[in-house]
Amino acid sequence: EAHGTGTAMGDPIEVEGLSQAFAATTADTGFCALGSVKSNIGHLEAAAGVAGLTKVLLQFRHGELAPTLHSERPNPDLDLAATPFVLPQRAEPWPRPHARDGATALRTATVSSFGAGGANAFLVVQEYPHAAAPEPATPASAPALWVLSTRRADRLA
């Protein structure tokens, strides 16, 4: 989840930094989704970082990558074909990666945010490893007890 300034200087610097980080472990290109919440909701000044984090957490929850809107023609100052990054143009499944031993790994994302006042934040976020849900003891169609509580009876309505 990039900050995505949309500027001739900012976007290339951000993509280059991310590309250098990936270069330490792979020369593969075009495999990592790159997005910016700004394309969905605009620039939020001080809330840009938390908006990016919220987008990542929702993508974890739904197992789906959100599209990077208005990016059919990416910033011409970016050479994305030479990087690990692709801009999702529509919502798409976000499969869990596989570790080197073939086991399913957890999804991992980064969030990058630059504040107008010069404050910068960079987070590495990994989804929570959910334990398998226990099987219900009774079928879903069986009667169930729902306990409701309120100070006033009219609130139960």
Side-chain angles (χ1 to χ4, degrees):
E1 181 64 17
H3 182 73
T5 62
T7 65
M9 185 179 359
D11 287 349
I13 290 171
E14 188 170 18
V15 170
E16 178 59 26
L18 292 168
S19 295
Q20 286 179 20
F22 274 80
T25 59
T26 184
D28 292 349
T29 60
F31 67 91
C32 182
L34 180 67
S36 176
V37 74
K38 284 182 184 178
S39 71
N40 299 77
I41 58 177
H43 196 299
L44 300 174
E45 298 296 332
V50 75
L53 177 60
T54 301
K55 178 183 170 194
V56 164
L57 295 176
L58 286 168
Q59 290 176 124
F60 282 161
R61 173 181 279 177
H62 297 287
E64 192 169 272
L65 295 167
T68 302
L69 302 179
H70 316 297
S71 65
E72 295 80 17
R73 291 188 344 224
N75 183 331
D77 296 308
L78 300 177
D79 182 12
L80 290 176
T83 74
F85 308 110
V86 294
L87 298 173
Q89 299 298 307
R90 64 190 59 82
E92 56 189 61
W94 186 5
R96 286 190 175 86
H98 292 285
R100 290 194 174 119
D101 65 2
T104 300
L106 298 172
R107 294 180 191 104
T108 303
T110 62
V111 179
S112 180
S113 182
F114 309 109
N120 300 325
F122 188 84
L123 305 172
V124 177
V125 187
Q126 192 169 61
E127 70 179 328
Y128 181 79
H130 295 284
E135 289 296 319
T138 58
S141 61
L145 176 65
W146 293 76
V147 179
L148 304 174
S149 175
T150 182
R151 291 179 188 227
R152 293 178 29 197
D154 65 317
R155 300 290 182 184
L156 289 175

Short mmCIF file of all heavy atoms in Angstrom, two decimals, residues 3 16 49 97 113 137 147:
data_model
loop_
_atom_site.label_atom_id
_atom_site.label_comp_id
_atom_site.label_asym_id
_atom_site.label_seq_id
_atom_site.Cartn_x
_atom_site.Cartn_y
_atom_site.Cartn_z
N HIS A 3 2.08 5.26 -0.67
CA HIS A 3 1.55 6.59 -0.39
C HIS A 3 0.92 7.16 -1.66
O HIS A 3 -0.16 7.72 -1.62
CB HIS A 3 2.65 7.50 0.13
CG HIS A 3 2.17 8.87 0.48
ND1 HIS A 3 1.40 9.11 1.59
CD2 HIS A 3 2.33 10.06 -0.13
CE1 HIS A 3 1.11 10.41 1.65
NE2 HIS A 3 1.67 10.99 0.62
N GLU A 16 11.06 3.07 -6.57
CA GLU A 16 12.47 2.69 -6.59
C GLU A 16 12.91 2.13 -5.24
O GLU A 16 13.61 1.12 -5.17
CB GLU A 16 13.36 3.87 -6.99
CG GLU A 16 14.85 3.56 -6.98
CD GLU A 16 15.28 2.43 -7.92
OE1 GLU A 16 14.58 2.18 -8.92
OE2 GLU A 16 16.30 1.78 -7.63
N GLY A 49 -2.19 7.60 6.50
CA GLY A 49 -1.59 6.35 6.96
C GLY A 49 -2.61 5.38 7.53
O GLY A 49 -2.61 4.19 7.21
N PRO A 97 0.33 -16.82 0.04
CA PRO A 97 1.56 -17.30 -0.60
C PRO A 97 1.97 -18.66 -0.03
O PRO A 97 1.42 -19.11 0.98
CB PRO A 97 2.58 -16.21 -0.23
CG PRO A 97 2.06 -15.64 1.05
CD PRO A 97 0.56 -15.72 0.96
N SER A 113 3.39 5.87 4.23
CA SER A 113 2.66 7.13 4.32
C SER A 113 3.61 8.26 4.64
O SER A 113 4.46 8.14 5.52
CB SER A 113 1.58 7.03 5.40
OG SER A 113 0.84 8.22 5.44
N ALA A 137 -21.53 -27.76 17.95
CA ALA A 137 -22.03 -28.96 18.61
C ALA A 137 -23.43 -29.34 18.13
O ALA A 137 -23.82 -30.49 18.21
CB ALA A 137 -22.03 -28.76 20.12
N VAL A 147 -29.60 -14.11 24.63
CA VAL A 147 -29.87 -13.32 25.82
C VAL A 147 -29.72 -11.85 25.45
O VAL A 147 -28.68 -11.42 24.95
CB VAL A 147 -28.89 -13.68 26.96
CG1 VAL A 147 -29.16 -12.82 28.19
CG2 VAL A 147 -29.00 -15.16 27.29
#
